[in-house]
Amino acid sequence: MESINAGWPMAQSEAALWDIYSHRVYRYLLRLTGERETAEDLTQETFLQAIRDGRRGQELPAHEAAWLFRIATNRARDLFRRRRLIAWLPFHSDRHAPTVADHAESLAEQEAVAQALSKLSRDDAAMLLLREGEGFSSKEIAAMFGLDYMVARQRLSRARERFRAEYTRMKEDHR
Amino acid sequence: MTCQYDRGMLSRYLDNELFAPDRQAVEAHLEECSDCRSLVEQYRDGAGAIQRYLQAVPATAALRRPAVPVSQRWAVAAIAACVLLATVTVGVATETGSRLVDLVTNVSVRLLSPEDSQAFEERQTSGAERPPSPFSAFKSIDEAEEAAGFRLPRPDFIPEGYYLEEARVSQLSGADSLHVSITYRQGMSPTRLEVILVRTSARMIIQAPAEATETVLVSGQEAQLINGLWMQRPGEETQFYPEGGRRLIFTWDGGPAEVKSVTAMGSGLPILPAEELIRVAESFR
């Protein structure tokens, strides 16, 4: 599969970093948490940390997108850890109002994706969003989750299989 | 679907992570097996659906680029309200080789994010409104001065090539402290010149190794020159790095002021010499 990260410009400044990546990081966090405000807050925290790391002159990975999504993923995981008592109600609690472009078919598809992802563990769902949605390689995803490449590879394959089974079933149910 | 072919291999095939012999083996299998062809089709279909699922997220107007305060090394003395702040202990330097320029206390305030993690969590669980950001950035010193409510310096002398990037006013919630940072930059270079003023009823401490500190004169008054910066790298203790920057701390308009030259760690880029910092400080109007 073609990587959709290819050709992303390297941000040359903090403002550019924000302009290029803020929406991508936000939509990932929104799909991961299902809560708009939480996603907004986490996005800002992510950039706050990224900008501070950058200013400190800390060694940054060559691929800035992977670095940002790693921070975002860790922020979300920290939050879930802290909010252990709050139920994990992801994915469909923040459906936006339909627009003209949203015909019934695409809404049904979104619903099916949301339902299928909600059957996965949070980390597995995050991995799939990063791999299929954002185009990160399994090596990059392994680094984001602090996993050995082979372990991440295996989890990704299993998550993909689980998602496929659920998603296919959801789609058939909707028919 | 009955074929028991290794799905991990199919997954790696889809991700283009197989060496040629394995890839060819998978392709040969797919030629023969309609079950696996259909499986691969479903994986692709799912991937496309996840992509569209992300792309369907509308932009939100609520996102704002976060304001990141520049100096984190100002230590503000403990006043009653300090318990509300995210605090870190820098420790009173008692070991030989360190000295405190102005020792008052061992509590410092971190100028980090608008909310500490506890407040953030409480707000998240209670559904309270997001508080207004305590940081404001301005494009001119005049505007920053209006926000700060006290007089700010306009240096007559700024080294060649530097231009005013922004003036930032940070309010520390829970403490009656205002922190103003005026940043000058040289193009896209990570090297910057900062003018910092703090107004607080608390007293500040500035801690630096004795060998990095010297007393100099600014307009005939004693000032502290610190060659180096405190830095904290992830997973490491805070350390003093002599090459990262140079600070000049002096009194202006009855309060503490600082002129600082900083560059990115490890960049090898030069920072301003002490004489230039003194020149900037002496040109405050």
Side-chain angles (χ1 to χ4, degrees), chain B residues 30 104 146 161 242 252 284:
Chain B
L30 287 176
V104 180
E146 208 183 312
W252 180 78
F284 273 24

Side-chain angles (χ1 to χ4, degrees), chain A residues 1 12-13 15 18 23 26-28 30-31 38 40-41 44-45 47-48 51-52 55-58 79 82 86 91 96 109-110 113-114 117 131-134 138 149 153 157 160-161 163-164 167-168 171, chain B residues 7-8 11-12 14-15 17 39 42-43 45-47 49-60 62-70 72 112-113 117 120-121 123-125 130 188 232 234 264-265:
Chain A
M1 188 176 301
Q12 293 291 312
S13 67
W18 173 259
H23 179 66
Y26 162 73
R27 70 185 189 186
Y28 164 65
L30 177 68
R31 291 314 197 190
T38 301
E40 286 165 4
D41 284 334
Q44 296 196 316
E45 285 189 12
F47 280 82
L48 200 66
I51 289 170
R52 287 210 324 265
R55 285 193 195 172
R56 262 186 214 132
Q58 185 185 316
L79 181 71
R82 282 187 272 133
I86 296 174
F91 307 120
H96 62 95
E109 179 184 270
Q110 284 178 39
V113 173
L117 284 175
R131 175 68 206 102
E132 314 286 38
E134 289 294 341
S138 39
Y149 166 72
R153 186 61 260 177
S157 298
R160 182 180 268 151
E161 171 55 25
F163 176 82
R164 182 202 64 80
Y167 178 67
T168 310
K171 272 201 344 188
Chain B
R7 294 186 178 187
S11 204
R12 289 169 68 184
L14 280 167
D15 288 337
E17 288 182 21
L39 203 56
Q42 288 178 14
Y43 284 142
D45 185 29
I50 291 175
Q51 269 180 33
R52 289 187 292 276
Y53 180 60
L54 273 179
Q55 283 158 4
V57 173
T60 169
L63 277 185
R64 292 277 179 279
R65 183 150 68 100
V68 185
V70 258
Q72 294 177 16
L112 290 180
S113 57
S117 55
F120 176 76
E121 188 180 356
R123 176 161 66 77
Q124 285 300 316
T125 48
R130 192 205 309 257
M188 298 305 289
Q232 190 176 22
M265 285 290 298

